[in-house]
Amino acid sequence: MNVIRYRLKKNILFLSGLLLTTTLAACGGSSVSHPKTASSNTPNASSINNPANQNQNADNGFSNNGDNASDMQQMQAVHSVAVIVPLSGAFANIGQSIANTAQMAVSDLADRHTGIKITCYDSAKGAAEAVNKAVSDGNKLILGGVFPSEARMMALAARNAHIPMITFSNDNSLAGNGVYVMGFSVGAGIQRVVKYALDHKLSRFAALLPNGVYGRKASASLLRTVSNNGGSVATLSNYNRTPQEITDAVTKLGQDYDAVLIADSPRIARIAAPLLVKQDGTKPQILGSELWSIDNNLKNVPALYGAWFASVPDGMFHQLSGKYKARYGVTPPRLASLGYDAILLAARISPNWPSNGDFPEKKLLSPNGFMGIDGAFRFNNQAIAERALAVEKVSANGIVVIDPAPTSFSK
């Protein structure tokens, strides 16, 4: 355990230094210029699709859609990695931000000789086709698939080609047989915050659950965690996402509970929280989902003050976000960190990756885990990412960490 803790703490210091050093270098008169988008939340497609437009150092290890790389890239970039995300269409802002942070990671690691070269492909133009093109181009590791539907098509194509794939989706049903799920799991955040509540003498739970897949996953996680830790669930109440149905669902909860899980977005929590005051004037402990971490305005919702939720730690992401905005002119969506962390993961394994050989897939199952922008994580034997999560509280001053994310994994 001490060895694991030491390694992860050492990786935290390395990662922090990596972001800080490269950020200061960019501010210190570097001749490298970075494109910025103008008045849009979507990074300019040319910043991804045409690396020459970025006027960056040739050894950043980044190419796109099979474009010829420089001689220096060819010398260093012996490990070919495909990043397959939506670069066009309705979700281009998410996909392009992931591709951008993947590029940033390669750039940041260039002087560490990891030998990583990434090539980006547009899943919006055909997810399976993008995988087939990536394989024919010689890529030995596939990163991508943001949404379950595209990830499912990509997984089939990757398995047929016997190429390992790390997906940014959180659909755990995709995991296994060469596919690793890296997305933020619904169940993990709920398990963490419910366990924290149980440890703080709250034992009887209720839950507001949206109809659909997300609600079912949240319900299963709540029931399993409470059952395994000696608590009880008083009532579960489902709803469709309309104000009237949410109001009716709160009424159906009754009064016999001391903590209530709102397993939904901050928008729904804003509607439900004011309705949760009990007849005696007391308010139960409100628990939220990992979705709350993307809302910077919860401090403006007094009804949610004191609510707890679990999330990946944000400290490193704030550094990455600042660096991203300096380069691209916009603030990245929260999922953008997955691109950076996936490249860090590949780089961490690269010393065991034979030149021009297959990716050493078994190294993904290291029990020690890996450190990234989103904290410590590891893939379990089911090929699903386990993450070290923090418990946070909503307050008038913003989001406050009340139980930091662990820096080690128990066996």
Side-chain angles (χ1 to χ4, degrees):
M1 178 64 70
N2 288 337
V3 172
I4 297 174
R5 183 178 294 111
Y6 168 76
R7 288 176 177 172
L8 287 173
K9 285 185 175 179
K10 184 177 179 181
N11 286 337
I12 291 173
L13 293 174
F14 161 74
L15 181 58
S16 181
L18 182 65
L19 283 173
L20 181 60
T21 299
T22 52
T23 301
L24 290 176
C27 298
S30 170
S31 62
V32 179
S33 63
H34 305 289
K36 296 183 179 180
T37 57
S39 67
S40 171
N41 287 328
T42 303
N44 191 325
S46 66
S47 68
I48 298 175
N49 296 334
N50 207 338
N53 288 347
Q54 297 188 33
N55 193 28
Q56 293 191 24
N57 292 334
D59 64 349
N60 66 4
F62 179 83
S63 67
N64 184 273
N65 291 340
D67 293 340
N68 291 329
S70 67
D71 291 340
M72 186 173 291
Q73 282 179 310
Q74 294 292 348
M75 289 171 60
Q76 283 191 313
V78 295
H79 303 312
S80 298
V81 178
V83 177
I84 304 178
V85 289
L87 298 176
S88 60
F91 301 106
N93 64 317
I94 295 175
Q96 289 181 345
S97 69
I98 291 173
N100 281 346
T101 58
Q103 177 190 357
M104 289 169 66
V106 172
S107 235
D108 290 349
L109 292 164
D111 64 345
R112 298 182 182 272
H113 307 292
T114 59
I116 301 294
K117 180 190 76 171
I118 67 173
T119 306
C120 288
Y121 303 82
D122 187 359
S123 62
K125 295 181 179 179
E129 292 83 352
V131 172
N132 293 333
K133 179 65 165 62
V135 172
S136 67
D137 287 347
N139 292 281
K140 299 297 185 179
L141 174 65
I142 293 170
L143 307 176
V146 178
F147 304 102
S149 56
E150 66 175 8
R152 194 167 294 111
M153 291 185 286
M154 287 175 56
L156 179 60
R159 286 173 178 137
N160 288 339
H162 305 290
I163 299 295
M165 169 178 150
I166 299 174
T167 177
F168 304 129
S169 167
N170 64 357
D171 184 352
N172 292 345
S173 69
L174 297 171
N177 192 20
V179 176
Y180 297 79
V181 174
M182 190 177 176
F184 303 137
S185 169
V186 176
I190 291 173
Q191 178 181 348
R192 173 78 162 99
V193 74
V194 170
K195 181 65 166 59
Y196 181 82
L198 285 160
D199 290 344
H200 286 76
K201 313 304 180 185
L202 299 172
S203 61
R204 192 156 175 78
F205 294 80
L208 293 169
L209 303 159
N211 288 318
V213 174
Y214 187 94
R216 290 194 295 272
K217 288 182 177 180
S219 174
S221 182
L222 170 67
L223 292 169
R224 182 171 57 251
T225 305
V226 170
S227 175
N228 291 343
N229 291 278
S232 63
V233 175
T235 181
L236 304 175
S237 189
N238 293 84
Y239 57 86
N240 293 316
R241 292 182 173 98
T242 67
Q244 186 58 55
E245 288 216 21
I246 294 168
T247 300
D248 293 343
V250 171
T251 301
K252 292 175 184 177
L253 288 179
Q255 304 282 308
D256 186 22
Y257 54 89
D258 49 25
V260 57
L261 171 68
I262 305 177
D264 213 324
S265 68
R267 181 181 72 84
I268 301 302
R270 283 176 165 84
I271 298 172
L275 306 175
L276 289 168
V277 178
K278 294 187 177 182
Q279 292 175 355
D280 62 3
T282 62
K283 187 172 74 171
Q285 176 62 54
I286 295 176
L287 310 177
S289 77
E290 81 288 345
L291 299 173
W292 293 19
S293 65
I294 64 175
D295 192 326
N296 296 322
N297 296 313
L298 291 181
K299 64 182 179 181
N300 300 322
V301 188
L304 288 175
Y305 290 172
W308 301 337
F309 66 95
S311 172
V312 293
D314 283 331
M316 290 293 180
F317 179 75
H318 291 323
Q319 290 188 47
L320 178 67
S321 181
K323 183 180 174 185
Y324 187 103
K325 188 171 184 179
R327 177 175 293 193
Y328 296 107
V330 293
T331 300
R334 189 61 183 83
L335 290 178
S337 58
L338 293 172
Y340 200 101
D341 280 358
I343 296 301
L344 287 184
L345 174 60
R348 175 67 180 82
I349 294 175
S350 65
N352 301 106
W353 190 348
S355 180
N356 299 317
D358 292 337
F359 178 77
E361 183 181 342
K362 290 183 179 180
K363 294 295 181 180
L364 290 173
L365 298 177
S366 168
N368 294 344
F370 306 90
M371 181 59 64
I373 296 295
D374 295 318
F377 70 99
R378 66 179 178 183
F379 292 105
N380 61 23
N381 290 333
Q382 288 74 49
I384 298 168
E386 296 177 346
R387 295 184 175 275
L389 303 178
V391 177
E392 302 178 326
K393 180 176 72 174
V394 180
S395 76
N397 296 319
I399 304 301
V400 179
V401 176
I402 55 176
D403 192 32
T407 57
S408 65
F409 290 102
S410 62
K411 294 291 189 180

